[in-house]
Amino acid sequence: AGSYGDNVFVAMMFAKVVCVQLISMLGYDLLFQDVDIIWFRNPLDYFHDESNPSYNFDMYFQDDGAHSARYTPFSANSGFYYARHNDKTRHFFTTLLYSGDLIIQWYSHQQALVQLMAEHASQFGLRVKVLDRDMDEFPGGWHYHSRKKRGFMKEIMKGDHPAKIFHMSWTNNKANKVKFFQQMGQWYVRKEWESIVQDNATLSKPSLTESCCLADAEVICHYRDKPSIIPCGESNPIDRGKPSFW
């Protein structure tokens, strides 16, 4: 996709529905995540912990951060969620598959999912838990871009944090996601492979045998006003007039 909400993006959103519905029909619990997510710790431990006060839910979603009318009442982010297999979740995912026209009409997988989820919670007792956006365990783009969370993001940059994952949501395009990960010290793709990652280039047979990734991330500064593992004070800001992160 060239950017959030374009036609390629919408087609990809329908693919997200199909792959999850197939796993659900096979009878498995499932964790779905977008590719712009990094793991600091195994998030499955949170969902499998029977002593967790929030254990008895059917589905868990990362909070999107955008508490707007479009995503009410749940404000769930459809890029990271966990679902226990049962009759309620299987019915939900099948209904979502049959509602693909909503995704095309609304240009949003997330909006269709949230609206159907509210319906299934009301009519069928589907138990949904949206993980509070102020929880430190499941941060995302809202934290990355929010000045209110700058202190927390500095803890992540220093490696002193309880976060299990980080989701680079709230970012307009793939190119910026790569740049943000690079200055976070979380991008491990070799330079010669970056054009393949960013431009959707076709993989040739020889390239499949070559190492795509680095053992240690190469840190590259791009924007001084965005979280970075090292000070990027000499770089221009991406948002006009914003101060340096450090």
Side-chain angles (χ1 to χ4, degrees), residues 4 69-72 76 78 96 102-103 105-118:
Y4 176 84
R70 184 184 185 190
Y71 298 134
T72 55
S78 61
L96 183 59
L102 295 179
I103 298 173
Q105 180 64 33
W106 293 343
Y107 286 84
S108 172
H109 165 263
Q110 186 162 299
Q111 186 176 358
L113 180 146
V114 168
Q115 296 305 315
L116 287 173
M117 196 158 59

Side-chain angles (χ1 to χ4, degrees), residues 18-39:
V18 174
C19 66
V20 169
Q21 193 270 342
L22 289 173
I23 299 300
S24 176
M25 289 299 291
L26 289 172
Y28 294 101
D29 296 350
L30 63 93
L31 174 69
F32 177 87
Q33 64 171 48
D34 288 344
V35 296
D36 58 347
I37 288 177
I38 53 177
W39 284 26

Side-chain angles (χ1 to χ4, degrees), residues 57-233:
F57 283 87
D58 300 313
M59 302 179 72
Y60 302 79
F61 285 82
Q62 183 184 36
D63 192 311
D64 182 74
H67 293 173
S68 60
R70 184 184 185 190
Y71 298 134
T72 55
F74 288 110
S75 295
N77 187 297
S78 61
F80 181 85
Y81 61 88
Y82 179 82
R84 305 191 194 281
H85 174 264
N86 55 43
D87 291 343
K88 295 175 183 177
T89 55
R90 186 172 66 246
H91 180 43
F92 170 75
F93 287 125
T94 301
T95 303
L96 183 59
L97 178 68
Y98 293 162
S99 303
D101 58 322
L102 295 179
I103 298 173
I104 296 172
Q105 180 64 33
W106 293 343
Y107 286 84
S108 172
H109 165 263
Q110 186 162 299
Q111 186 176 358
L113 180 146
V114 168
Q115 296 305 315
L116 287 173
M117 196 158 59
E119 179 180 308
H120 280 241
S122 176
Q123 293 187 352
F124 308 114
L126 180 69
R127 296 166 297 179
V128 179
K129 174 68 175 178
V130 177
L131 303 165
D132 195 316
R133 72 179 181 182
D134 289 323
M135 287 179 62
D136 292 340
E137 287 86 352
F138 299 95
W142 180 78
H143 301 77
Y144 187 85
H145 297 290
S146 173
R147 295 189 66 182
K148 296 179 180 179
K149 288 295 182 179
R150 180 162 292 188
F152 174 66
M153 288 306 303
K154 287 183 177 181
E155 293 177 4
I156 289 183
M157 296 303 103
K158 296 175 182 178
D160 182 21
H161 61 87
K164 297 183 181 297
I165 60 105
F166 180 84
H167 183 189
M168 190 59 78
S169 54
W170 278 48
T171 303
N172 188 50
N173 56 57
K174 184 163 51 180
N176 275 344
K177 288 178 186 282
V178 171
K179 290 178 180 179
F180 294 156
F181 276 135
Q182 284 176 335
Q183 66 180 47
M184 282 181 68
Q186 294 294 340
W187 186 252
Y188 293 84
V189 179
R190 294 183 183 277
K191 286 185 177 180
E192 55 269 28
W193 277 69
E194 287 182 13
S195 61
I196 296 175
V197 173
Q198 296 191 47
D199 301 331
N200 300 318
T202 302
L203 296 176
S204 62
K205 289 185 178 179
S207 68
L208 293 175
T209 63
E210 299 171 357
S211 175
C212 66
C213 302
L214 301 165
D216 298 305
E218 183 179 10
V219 180
I220 303 175
C221 283
H222 294 284
Y223 307 112
R224 68 168 182 252
D225 57 325
K226 293 301 179 182
S228 56
I229 197 170
I230 60 173
C232 295

